[in-house]
Amino acid sequence: MKNKSNLFAHLKSDFASGLVVFLVALPLCLGIAMASGAPLFSGIIAGVVGGIVVGYFSSSSLSVSGPAAGLTAIVLTAITDLGAFDVFLTAVFIAGLIQLILGFAKAGSISNYFPTNVIEGMLAGIGIIIILKQLPHAFGYDKDFEGDQAFLQNDGGNTFTALFDIFNYLQLGAIVITLISMSILIAWDKVPFLKRMKLIPGALIAVVLGVVLNEIFMISGSKLAIGNEHLVSLPIPSTFQEFKSIIVTPNFAAVTNTKVWIVAFTIAIVASIETLLSIEAADRMDVQKRYTDTNIELKAQGIGNVVSSLLGGLPLTSVIVRTSANSNSGAKSKMSTIIHGFLLLVSVLAIPFVLNKIPLATLAAVLILVGYKLAKPSIFIHFWNKGKYQFIPFIATLLAVVFLDLLKGVALGIFISIIFILKGNLKRAYNFRKENYESGDVIHIDLAQEVSFLNKAAIKQTLNDIPEKSKVIIDAKDTVYIAHDILDLIHEFKTIKAVDKKIKVKLKGFKDAYELENSDDSNNHVTFEHYYDAAKRVMVKKPIGDEIDF
């Protein structure tokens, strides 16, 4: 794998951004593990592996990997169906091997076909989800787990009902800490003096101040004090035996279980698609406009999932929320991703009791600003100004991501984009020019660069509507590909229908390179019939030259 050099070239900015990503990733790893029905530490293990292992092997400068909210439903169902977590880890191990095979098979190139407006719609949708999901935490209502992105929630409610429930569970201390944290984060981006303090991220100051304030509230017996249910909740092993029990290894005896293989393929495909989408998004956010080798990324993800499974961790993908936080914090290279992984590892081993003092309200403030930067009003204005063919796929993707899920949203956006492409192709396959649509008119039909079978119906209708005794020029001088279906149609029109309706036809640009090379005509003049016969024998490469006059 490449891109291993200069990891320490931007250590100052990368350490600061890695610290921010660590603060964001910690509760997300725990929340996703909880929602997946897996041991809490399996989420932390996946976060550590995603940061250190995937971060090292990946060629992406900004992408951050870890346990993904998009896999929670799959993981929860799989653990239940397979009956044991160690059997599930076997499926994760196999999924990693499948991703390695996909990487060597260069399956990552599929990401080149994701339209920009769909990727931007996905990012804006994720931004809105982050804001909507973090608002309850900002007000002290922490019933929904950290990292949840689903519109429909496990308790039977949804994202909007949770917002209304806020008013029944207001926690004044959480609101105070959220407002102070938000003020610090905004000031850190706006005040020139603070902006120069790149080594100390605003998020760290906000977290430290949040912890200190809550400790003061608790010591003073204030009603503003935030209880443990509103703080980060990292399990603390009290004995070596408890710590040792955290590491669960795959049960390879289950490798013959058909269900294990079904789960493995499901995880591999879903995780790979989510990773490719996240990588495409990361490249869009990169101010240096670097491009990631997606085939290397699939290999890195495969290695990551193999290692994570061997250590008892959840399956992982490249994750947009953490990647966005990394980009917004000023990361310059993948060293920030690796640093975040090391910080997760060291902190959960050395200072878990300190981490458990962090208010979720402070982390909500950090994530709300991340969400805002992903879904800024200027992005909506930008695509609105680009016209409906850009805006409609963008807004459809956004809404589907918010109300359905990421993969369904992207699939819908791509589907609408393809419909628009086909519609545009049908319209632009030829240009129809005339002064008056009456008998005797000279009618120009200029074919586009590519004319496929999809254009057959439109061209057929146009030719059928040409009045008797007209003069028609069908010009293919700019055409580089024309389907045989269209050649058949034009040949039939010229030799039969045009004769019946006394229409004079001039064909321009219908000359084939194969016929030209073998022509005995000193003027290199080939009739349409010659061209048509040649084109029926070989794939049309480039129609060139003129044919006949009226």
Side-chain angles (χ1 to χ4, degrees):
M1 309 252 177
K2 47 189 179 182
N3 199 23
K4 300 293 185 302
S5 60
N6 299 322
L7 280 179
F8 299 93
H10 306 284
L11 188 58
K12 185 177 179 180
S13 58
D14 285 340
F15 182 82
S17 55
L19 186 55
V20 173
V21 178
F22 154 68
L23 293 172
V24 169
L26 178 63
L28 294 182
C29 289
L30 293 171
I32 290 168
M34 186 185 303
S36 301
L40 288 181
F41 263 105
S42 65
I44 298 293
I45 292 169
V48 172
V49 173
I52 300 173
V53 178
V54 178
Y56 178 76
F57 286 107
S58 170
S59 64
S60 175
S61 300
L62 296 179
S63 171
V64 182
S65 295
L71 293 177
T72 52
I74 295 173
V75 174
L76 179 61
T77 303
I79 293 174
T80 303
D81 288 347
L82 297 177
F85 186 62
D86 60 348
V87 175
F88 169 74
L89 292 177
T90 305
V92 178
F93 181 88
I94 296 171
L97 296 180
I98 294 171
Q99 286 186 300
L100 274 169
I101 294 171
L102 291 174
F104 283 109
K106 301 189 182 302
S109 58
I110 190 176
S111 64
N112 295 325
Y113 300 97
F114 297 147
T116 298
N117 53 355
V118 172
I119 295 299
E120 292 288 354
M122 175 190 71
L123 285 174
I126 292 293
I128 290 173
I129 288 174
I130 292 173
I131 294 171
L132 294 176
K133 290 291 187 179
Q134 290 301 319
L135 280 174
H137 296 297
F139 286 89
Y141 179 51
D142 300 305
K143 188 174 182 180
D144 196 16
F145 69 90
E146 283 283 0
D148 183 22
Q149 293 180 5
F151 180 74
L152 298 177
Q153 298 176 175
N154 295 331
D155 60 3
N158 57 53
T159 301
F160 292 147
T161 59
L163 293 178
F164 289 112
D165 286 342
I166 288 174
F167 299 103
N168 298 321
Y169 298 93
L170 289 177
Q171 217 287 336
L172 191 56
I175 296 173
V176 169
I177 288 178
T178 296
L179 292 175
I180 292 175
S181 300
M182 195 80 74
S183 300
I184 291 171
L185 293 168
I186 294 172
W188 222 260
D189 281 341
K190 300 295 182 182
V191 178
F193 169 71
L194 296 176
K195 285 176 69 176
R196 288 194 290 270
M197 299 175 64
K198 292 293 185 182
L199 186 59
I200 306 175
L204 177 61
I205 302 300
V207 166
V208 171
L209 190 57
V211 171
V212 170
L213 278 175
N214 192 47
E215 287 297 308
I216 293 173
F217 294 155
M218 293 177 69
I219 292 172
S220 64
S222 171
K223 292 182 179 179
L224 297 178
I226 299 176
N228 291 335
E229 67 273 18
H230 304 300
L231 305 176
V232 169
S233 181
L234 184 65
I236 305 176
S238 57
T239 64
F240 176 76
Q241 195 63 30
E242 283 185 28
F243 179 78
K244 188 178 177 182
S245 66
I246 292 172
I247 306 298
V248 182
T249 56
N251 179 5
F252 289 111
V255 75
T256 56
N257 187 338
T258 305
K259 289 184 178 180
V260 168
W261 284 88
I262 294 173
V263 171
F265 273 99
T266 302
I267 291 173
I269 299 303
V270 175
S272 297
I273 294 174
E274 289 207 12
T275 290
L276 293 178
L277 289 168
S278 181
I279 290 296
E280 195 69 18
D283 287 349
R284 293 285 304 167
M285 289 185 279
D286 189 359
V287 294
Q288 298 183 45
K289 299 305 176 188
R290 292 164 291 188
Y291 293 100
T292 301
D293 187 326
T294 48
N295 296 312
I296 290 179
E297 186 63 32
L298 286 180
K299 296 174 190 175
Q301 294 291 328
I303 294 172
N305 275 315
V306 167
V307 174
S308 183
S309 68
L310 292 175
L311 295 176
L314 290 174
L316 49 86
T317 75
S318 175
V319 190
I320 293 176
V321 176
R322 273 158 270 192
T323 299
S324 303
N326 194 35
S327 174
N328 292 330
S329 302
K332 295 288 191 277
S333 76
K334 62 182 183 176
M335 188 62 181
S336 62
T337 302
I338 297 173
I339 287 171
H340 121 272
F342 274 111
L343 288 174
L344 274 175
L345 176 62
V346 172
S347 61
V348 298
L349 294 178
I351 54 170
F353 56 91
V354 175
L355 299 178
N356 284 346
K357 294 181 182 294
I358 299 175
L360 294 177
T362 294
L363 300 178
V366 175
L367 286 168
I368 286 171
L369 284 184
V370 169
Y372 174 76
K373 290 177 180 179
L374 289 175
K376 290 186 292 189
S378 59
I379 296 172
F380 292 79
I381 295 170
H382 170 74
F383 282 100
W384 176 265
N385 291 335
K386 279 196 167 188
K388 63 181 180 180
Y389 292 118
Q390 288 293 313
F391 182 76
I392 292 177
F394 164 80
I395 202 68
T397 302
L398 182 154
L399 293 174
V401 165
V402 171
F403 292 105
L404 299 175
D405 62 42
L406 187 147
L407 295 184
K408 289 187 178 73
V410 170
L412 177 63
I414 292 175
F415 176 75
I416 293 174
S417 295
I418 291 173
I419 295 296
F420 283 161
I421 289 170
L422 293 177
K423 185 177 179 181
N425 184 267
L426 292 174
K427 287 183 176 180
R428 291 188 285 270
Y430 63 95
N431 183 38
F432 184 68
R433 294 183 284 125
K434 62 180 179 60
E435 282 70 33
N436 293 300
Y437 202 71
E438 297 175 358
S439 178
D441 280 349
V442 176
I443 299 172
H444 297 263
I445 300 175
D446 301 329
L447 300 183
Q449 284 191 334
E450 295 190 11
V451 186
S452 72
F453 71 93
L454 295 171
N455 313 121
K456 182 176 179 180
I459 294 176
K460 183 177 182 180
Q461 186 62 49
T462 297
L463 295 177
N464 285 340
D465 290 342
I466 293 175
E468 295 183 355
K469 298 180 181 179
S470 298
K471 297 177 181 179
V472 181
I473 300 174
I474 304 177
D475 192 343
K477 69 176 183 297
D478 294 325
T479 305
V480 295
Y481 171 79
I482 182 169
H484 289 171
D485 284 9
I486 307 301
L487 283 174
D488 287 338
L489 185 63
I490 295 174
H491 182 261
E492 179 183 293
F493 173 74
K494 179 179 182 293
T495 57
I496 301 175
K497 294 185 178 179
V499 173
D500 292 342
K501 297 174 71 174
K502 298 180 181 179
I503 298 172
K504 294 183 179 180
V505 180
K506 178 180 180 180
L507 301 171
K508 298 178 66 176
F510 291 92
K511 183 183 290 186
D512 184 70
Y514 291 95
E515 284 293 309
L516 186 60
E517 291 175 0
N518 299 317
S519 174
D520 293 330
D521 192 333
S522 59
N523 294 323
N524 287 334
H525 184 81
V526 183
T527 66
F528 175 75
E529 282 70 22
H530 290 144
Y531 170 75
Y532 174 75
D533 291 340
K536 295 294 284 185
R537 294 195 301 270
V538 296
M539 177 61 72
V540 179
K541 283 195 172 181
K542 182 176 176 61
I544 55 175
D546 291 342
E547 204 244 86
I548 60 173
D549 292 324
F550 291 124

